[in-house]
Amino acid sequence: MLCGSANAQTSTKPAEEVLQRVMPSLAPQFNLKLRTISKEGDSFRISGTAGHIQVEAATLPTLLYGVNWYLKYVAHLQVSTNGMQLGPANTVLPASPQPIEKPALYKLRYALNENVDGYSAPYWDEARWRREIDILALSGTNAILIERGADLVLYKTFRDAGYSDTAIRQWITQPAHQNWQLMGNMCCFIEPISIELLHKRAESAKKLIAMLRELGITPVLPGYYGIVPADFATLHPGAHVITQGDWNGFTRPGWIDPRDPNFAPLAASFYRHQHELYGDSTIYDMEIFQEGGAAGDVPVGEAAKLIQTALEKAHPGSLWLMMGWQDNPMPAVMNAVDTSRVLVADIEQGRIPREDRDHEFRGAQWLYGGLWEFGGRTTLGAPLYDYAVRMPKMAKLPGSRIVGTALFTEGLDTNPFAFDLYTEMAWHSDPVDLATWTDGYALRRYGAEDLHAKRAWQIILKTAYGYRADGDKNHGERDASHDSLFSAQPSLTTLHAATWSPDVMRYRPEDLQPALTELLQVAPNLRTTDTYKFDLVDLARQVMANESRTMLPQIKAAYEAGDRAKFAALTTHWLHRMQLLDSLLQTNEYFLLGRWLQYVPPWALSPAELAQLNYDARSILTTWGDRHASEYGLHEYANRDWAGLTSDYYLPRWKMYFDTLSTALETKSPPKPIDWYAFGDEWNRKSTNYAATPTNQTYPAALAIASDLNLAP
């Protein structure tokens, strides 16, 4: 069992506590039991009578997924990343017509992307993390990456190596940017990090890891593969440090040759401190040469072998987790290491159909990854065909080494439709008919059959979720949906907000629009659920965002024709639509800038540190990095349709830009250039407070958008 580092599971109490937190009114109606159902491996079994539902399994994550399966397919209720639909408080759970047994087809159901610690969770407190872990556990997850706290491990490791307290704290980045340092992409941004913050994060990490172990979930921890400060050879003359060049405008950390005498002591120190702080795991995440980097004169295979040797020495029998992403893992790495101790998360299957991974990974075990969202963006869409149809077919190929799934979105809590389907695919041996599955989703999402809900979701399925991996490398991140031009750095010719976002849509915007008309006609008694409110905001938001791609060429044409009246009318309407959008976003907790920022202040011990952390949390959404990195292409990578961000950042930028163009039309002179980085950097340094709880009502705000677009019922 790959989850061997989790505590032995002898009590159902941790799972019962999950139910009490997530569904307090339903929890007493479940009787949970730990026992082996099948000799073939872990399974869950559902039985019982009305109001007394028994769920049995050999492990807590499988037991909790059994509860989830019952809720989905017997009670027509829903646990979701974005709102819950758990029926009235007096709901009596119905009995299953016959017992249900489902085997756990894969021994590993992994989450998360390394970038989650930057784009979603850098400042979450334990309560917010607990909520996420509960949902992941109920989704059957049995291994979760925890990067928080690795900063103190690095600090202690390099203090051992002779660095002063000040020098090493100048090297370690702040929380929202730190995971890119762990991957060897960058260092030294918004420095220094305080020693107090390092210790607070370590204490928090201990609690998160304890939460996982209690639930029988393996905490996946970062491993050590050789990153060092660039000046390491100054303190250790003769050390063979390979400079790694730049990553998107940032200077990478150095990489010490694993053959160098300094490598083994550094790795031993890292693993010793990590063990003392957080205990051990059976899976360690390491990405060498992630998105570039250079081996210099170091033989890559020999280096990889020594990295694995250091891991094996510290944690015998553990697995090295790698990403199957772009050129990684390199053939030279896979040819040299013991692939029986390697686990690859293949996260390109939604972008490029890769049918020969067993050969490419040299027989290593691998996970069929789910990556449909980048930067925490609020885009609607995912390549569901690749998960519902291709994945089970590939898993059945003779000799397949697929051993699980890897939830690998760069941010969390968007696209609950995709999350529900993808996590469920770990329990399907055959392809799933998406149209039928979607009808069931609409039923449990709102709690009753509704023709308008079914029609809306069938439209959404065929449009936003209708694309699939096609291997096209010419139009940006094809495994993700397009983002909104309202969020883009203003330009009349822009095709995306984030530099690497798709520059073309995968469906016609007018084909999605009827879904909004349908969703607005869902029965009034179903509109009170949190799930309906979220979906209405998300759909109306996406339909309006799509309009930006229709309007911008019209604005460009009016400007180039010198038609001042038409230009004024179109740009006024553009800004009005952004205001309508912000009013809609204000009505739901998942679309609030204030909710993101509210987690920052408790981490700071002084006004100066709060200013640093505030800048860290804001800049990741806007300029991302310093001027060089931002202008290189990182700006807007994490754009989101959020209230506050739309009204206070995106909208003022477009107004400033349109005013400049209007003046240019009046004076018949070139438009005045605008320093967009300076605008963003100024906003990043502000301390404006934004609402962290919703205001106003969702339905009227969505109806106002539908009316503006002539889509009202």
Side-chain angles (χ1 to χ4, degrees), residues 84-85 442 445-450 452-453 516-537 587-588 697-700 702-703 712-713:
M84 303 284 176
Q85 195 287 107
R445 188 75 176 157
Y446 308 133
E449 292 278 0
D450 185 278
H452 293 293
L516 178 57
T517 308
E518 292 289 351
L519 203 60
L520 284 164
Q521 295 179 84
V522 164
N525 63 307
L526 303 184
R527 298 176 193 167
T528 59
T529 60
D530 291 340
T531 43
Y532 176 80
K533 292 174 185 176
F534 173 87
D535 290 345
L536 188 58
V537 171
T587 70
N588 193 274
Q697 297 299 311
T698 295
Y699 194 89
L703 188 60

Side-chain angles (χ1 to χ4, degrees), residues 578-591:
M578 291 187 75
Q579 290 169 338
L580 288 176
L581 180 60
D582 193 78
S583 296
L584 172 75
L585 300 172
Q586 290 173 26
T587 70
N588 193 274
E589 63 177 315
Y590 293 98
F591 298 95

Side-chain angles (χ1 to χ4, degrees), residues 550-570:
T550 301
M551 290 189 74
L552 194 60
Q554 298 171 351
I555 293 171
K556 178 177 180 286
Y559 177 78
E560 291 177 344
D563 189 335
R564 290 167 57 188
K566 190 171 185 180
F567 179 82
L570 284 170

Side-chain angles (χ1 to χ4, degrees), residues 105-106 368 384-397 400 402 425-432:
L105 300 174
Y106 305 105
Y368 193 103
L384 296 191
Y385 174 88
D386 296 292
Y387 310 136
V389 179
R390 286 185 58 239
M391 176 186 158
K393 285 183 176 180
M394 290 179 69
K396 282 189 169 184
L397 291 175
S400 172
I402 297 177
M425 289 312 301
W427 305 85
H428 286 286
S429 59
D430 296 311
V432 166

Side-chain angles (χ1 to χ4, degrees), residues 114 129 134 194 213 220 274 310 390 552 591 623 628 693 701:
E114 290 86 351
W129 255 114
D134 284 349
S194 73
R213 290 189 172 124
V220 178
Q274 188 181 58
R390 286 185 58 239
L552 194 60
F591 298 95
T623 57
H628 181 53
T693 54

Side-chain angles (χ1 to χ4, degrees), residues 7-29:
N7 286 350
Q9 297 159 48
T10 58
S11 169
T12 60
K13 185 179 179 184
E16 291 163 1
E17 290 173 344
V18 170
L19 301 189
Q20 288 161 10
R21 287 189 294 270
V22 175
M23 52 192 84
S25 64
L26 301 180
Q29 299 183 57

